[in-house]
Structures are given as structure tokens and as C-alpha cells.
Amino acid sequence: MMKIKIHVTLRESVLDPQGTAVKSSLHAMNYHEVQDVRIGKYLEVMIEPSDRPVDEVVKEMCEKLLANTVIEDYEYEVEEAVTQ
Amino acid sequence: MMKIKIHVTLRESVLDPQGTAVKSSLHAMNYHEVQDVRIGKYLEVMIEPSDRPVDEVVKEMCEKLLANTVIEDYEYEVEEAVTQ
């Protein structure tokens, strides 16, 4: 069993209204040291190795479903041999 | 300027319907190697150091606003000296 940790983040050029709202809230709570907030998704996917290479499977899942590559970037790392 | 990378995840004992939905979709797309999916939030917060220790500020922000500690856990790492 492998644990895949995937980060899906908005591209830099794309506005992040959710992040802006959180920044405003933090300022309203007197955290004026906060300069910027960007919010993305974090997914942990448990995969049972198959006959296809994991990298190929994960990239395909990200491109087809997990990330919208028009406005989002994704990164992942693979943790081998996780026992549940 | 420091970049704080924050992961907010549901506690293990808490059901994750969003993750379950994504898992079902992946199975429907014939990714049967997927055993489980858990979905959390990933935040990047840019902070200008103040007179308070960064760890103290970040923990406080997480507990008060960014995570609901009844059902969520948070982890963070600090990247020093980021130039924008």
C-alpha cells in the first residue's frame, strides 16, 4: 500500500477569493503580520500497486479528475510501504 | 517574509464524505487500485515577522480560525526568508 500526498493549488496568475477572505478575517482579528493567504486542496490517496507504474496512474488521476489544470497546479509525493 | 505551509486534515475518526465521493469517481473511472481518499485543506500564509514568535502566532491563527480543532488536525512548517 502506498500513500500519495497530493497538493492542488491555484496557479499564481489566478485570483484566490477564498484566500483573500481568510486574509481579511485574520486582519480583522489583529494578525497584521499576515501579508497574503492562498488556499489549495490537500489529498491523501491510498493506492494498492498494480501493473501500471504509480507515477503514471497518479498523474493521470490528477489531470483527469483531481486538478483543473487550466487554473490549478498539482504536486505529489509517494510514500512507499504504508501499513494500515 | 516567511512562508507558512499549513495542512488542515479531518481527524481519523471523522467521516470524509468528500473523500468518499472522489474515491467513487476514481473507481468509476477504472482506477481500482485506489483504496481510500481523504481530503483536507492546504494553506500558504505569507507572514512578515513581528515582535511575537512565529510559532505562537501561527498556532493561535490555526486554533482560532483556520482549523476546527474538534474535528480537524493541523500541521505546519515554516519556510524562512522568502523573497517575493
Side-chain angles (χ1 to χ4, degrees):
Chain A
M1 187 82 85
M2 281 174 287
K3 185 192 265 190
I4 322 291
K5 297 178 167 184
I6 305 172
H7 289 91
V8 179
T9 49
L10 281 173
R11 286 176 182 242
E12 288 224 1
S13 56
V14 178
L15 285 177
D16 177 6
Q18 196 188 359
T20 307
V22 169
K23 184 174 80 171
S24 301
S25 297
L26 289 170
H27 284 177
M29 293 162 74
N30 281 317
Y31 295 109
H32 295 293
E33 47 272 86
V34 173
Q35 303 294 306
D36 196 26
V37 179
R38 304 278 292 177
I39 301 187
K41 276 176 291 185
Y42 170 63
L43 296 95
E44 287 181 351
V45 181
M46 305 298 294
I47 286 190
E48 197 69 68
S50 64
D51 46 346
R52 293 180 62 197
V54 181
D55 280 316
E56 190 185 304
V57 174
V58 173
K59 276 181 197 162
E60 212 181 83
M61 290 192 315
C62 286
E63 310 247 334
K64 283 192 182 168
L65 182 75
L66 305 178
N68 174 352
T69 53
V70 177
I71 55 166
E72 291 172 328
D73 289 319
Y74 65 88
E75 276 175 30
Y76 67 90
E77 51 194 285
V78 178
E79 268 181 27
E80 302 274 348
V82 178
T83 49
Q84 267 190 318
Chain B
M1 187 82 83
M2 281 174 288
K3 185 192 266 191
I4 322 290
K5 297 178 167 185
I6 304 172
H7 290 91
V8 179
T9 49
L10 282 173
R11 286 174 182 246
E12 289 224 358
S13 57
V14 179
L15 286 177
D16 178 6
Q18 197 187 358
T20 307
V22 168
K23 185 174 79 172
S24 301
S25 298
L26 288 169
H27 285 178
M29 293 162 74
N30 281 318
Y31 295 110
H32 295 293
E33 48 271 85
V34 173
Q35 302 294 307
D36 194 28
V37 179
R38 304 276 294 175
I39 300 188
K41 277 176 290 183
Y42 170 63
L43 297 95
E44 288 181 349
V45 180
M46 305 298 295
I47 285 191
E48 197 68 69
S50 64
D51 46 345
R52 292 179 63 197
V54 181
D55 281 315
E56 188 185 305
V57 174
V58 173
K59 277 182 197 162
E60 211 180 84
M61 291 192 316
C62 285
E63 310 247 336
K64 282 192 184 170
L65 183 73
L66 305 178
N68 174 354
T69 53
V70 178
I71 55 166
E72 291 172 327
D73 289 318
Y74 66 88
E75 275 175 29
Y76 67 90
E77 51 194 284
V78 178
E79 268 181 25
E80 303 273 347
V82 178
T83 47
Q84 272 191 315

